[in-house]
């Protein structure tokens, strides 16, 4: 299992990209899979960084990666306010530009890229588990 | 992320160099907002040196697209790599832009 801890500072997002790239190199994942995993993780983590904690307060986000032979499991944990991203409505990906809403694309990407996305609230923590079959 | 903006006649070319992730998007957004109303011509988004885009970057370019249309201009996306193309596909953005 690999672990990364970040603060709720969006400028730390490049550290997450490096974390995923290291896993990708070690597991010999292809370039496209690396990019999409990076994207799904960034969307989940950025959401926590931007919205989980009250503005101006320091908070942490933990990322665990469990590498299996057939699947990669990523667990994103924070102690911010309860929020279940899996309960949000589907993003609009069909309307013409004039009517297209700009929100909800992040979780849409997570759902599209990952094979399974699970949320639970436990001990005052948001725990988002994302599984990608390989 | 570096952004280069060039004006040729009425047309505006915006060249993105590097990763347009959430962190970069926050830096770039004010610069892009300042473009609003800058031109009544077409806007070319040059992605040939963009290596990555996240949803925050998509929101920025959708805003550019909406503003340009409101001003009567077109938006063309040029030179995107396969990874970015797949993000456009997953989000239905391929249908929103003229792609070259």
């Amino acid at each position: 299992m690999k672990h990364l801890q970040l603060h709720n500072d969006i400028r730390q997002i490049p550290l997450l990209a490096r974390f995923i790239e290291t896993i990708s190199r070690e597991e010999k994942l292809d370039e496209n899979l690396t990019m999409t995993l990076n994207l799904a993780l960034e969307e989940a983590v950025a959401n926590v960084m931007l919205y989980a904690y009250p503005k101006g307060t320091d908070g942490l986000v933990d990322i665990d990666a469990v590498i299996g032979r057939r699947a990669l499991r990523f667990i994103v944990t924070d102690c911010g306010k309860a929020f279940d991203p899996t309960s949000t409505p589907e993003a609009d990906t069909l309307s013409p530009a004039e009517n297209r809403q700009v929100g909800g694309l992040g979780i849409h990407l997570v759902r599209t890229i990952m094979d399974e996305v699970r949320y639970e609230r436990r001990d005052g923590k948001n725990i988002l588990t994302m599984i990608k079959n390989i | 992320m570096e952004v280069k903006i060039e004006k040729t006649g009425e047309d505006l070319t915006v060249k993105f160099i590097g990763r347009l992730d959430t962190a970069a998007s926050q830096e770039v957004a004010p610069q892009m907002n300042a473009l609003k109303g800058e031109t009544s011509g077409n806007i070319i988004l040059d992605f040939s040196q963009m290596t990555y885009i996240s949803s925050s970057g998509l929101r920025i370019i959708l805003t550019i697209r909406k503003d340009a249309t409101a001003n009567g201009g077109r938006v063309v996306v040029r030179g995107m790599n396969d990874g970015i193309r797949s993000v456009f596909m997953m989000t239905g953005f391929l249908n929103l832009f003229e792609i070259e």
Side-chain angles (χ1 to χ4, degrees):
Chain A
M1 183 150 100
K2 292 185 181 297
H3 178 251
L4 175 71
Q5 186 172 64
L6 299 174
H7 289 266
N8 56 339
D9 178 350
I10 209 74
R11 289 169 300 183
Q12 291 199 329
I13 281 291
L15 297 176
L16 177 64
R18 239 169 279 163
F19 177 70
I20 302 295
E21 274 155 25
T22 304
I23 292 172
S24 167
R25 215 171 22 250
E26 288 172 6
E27 300 304 315
K28 300 186 171 59
L29 305 179
D30 71 44
E31 202 180 324
N32 189 50
L33 179 59
T34 306
M35 190 279 288
T36 52
L37 287 176
N38 193 339
L39 183 57
L41 266 291
E42 176 178 331
E43 299 298 347
V45 170
N47 209 36
V48 172
M49 286 176 166
L50 294 171
Y51 306 116
Y53 298 100
K55 256 197 160 53
T57 61
D58 189 30
L60 295 172
V61 50
D62 287 279
I63 303 105
D64 291 297
V66 184
I67 321 287
R69 263 191 306 143
R70 286 187 299 189
L72 304 170
R73 195 160 85 231
F74 297 94
I75 303 131
V76 175
T77 309
D78 68 82
C79 302
K81 67 176 179 202
F83 174 65
D84 176 2
T86 64
S87 68
T88 55
E90 260 303 315
D92 175 11
T93 56
L94 300 170
S95 298
E98 304 73 52
N99 308 326
R100 187 76 67 103
Q101 298 301 312
V102 291
L105 281 177
I107 185 64
H108 169 76
L109 284 166
V110 173
R111 281 174 169 149
T112 308
I113 291 164
M114 293 295 182
D115 292 296
E116 195 181 331
V117 183
R118 275 199 313 262
Y119 168 83
E120 64 182 312
R121 179 80 181 172
R122 202 171 61 213
D123 305 328
K125 291 178 178 175
N126 295 306
I127 304 165
L128 187 70
T129 304
M130 298 173 282
I131 297 169
K132 180 72 179 173
N133 299 327
I134 50 173
Chain B
M1 158 70 46
E2 193 188 337
V3 181
K4 286 184 179 164
I5 300 166
E6 239 172 66
K7 201 163 182 180
T8 318
E10 270 305 296
D11 293 349
L12 213 57
T13 301
V14 185
K15 185 171 192 160
F16 298 88
I17 302 164
R19 295 170 61 86
L20 190 54
D21 60 13
T22 315
S25 295
Q26 290 208 333
E27 285 175 24
V28 167
Q31 211 179 336
M32 294 299 108
N33 283 338
L35 284 182
K36 196 173 172 172
E38 258 309 289
T39 178
S40 54
N42 302 321
I43 296 178
I44 295 120
L45 301 177
D46 183 344
F47 281 16
S48 59
Q49 290 183 60
M50 187 198 273
T51 51
Y52 174 90
I53 192 165
S54 69
S55 69
S56 50
L58 294 175
R59 279 195 289 276
I60 289 176
I61 64 161
L62 179 57
T63 305
I64 294 173
R65 164 77 167 80
K66 285 183 171 183
D67 292 343
T69 314
N71 287 331
R74 289 160 50 216
V75 178
V76 177
V77 177
R78 187 172 287 168
M80 64 165 85
N81 70 23
D82 289 346
I84 292 171
R85 183 177 289 271
S86 76
V87 179
F88 267 55
M89 203 135 44
M90 286 188 264
T91 50
F93 267 51
L94 273 185
N95 306 324
L96 298 183
F97 294 88
E98 288 182 44
I99 314 276
E100 279 184 359

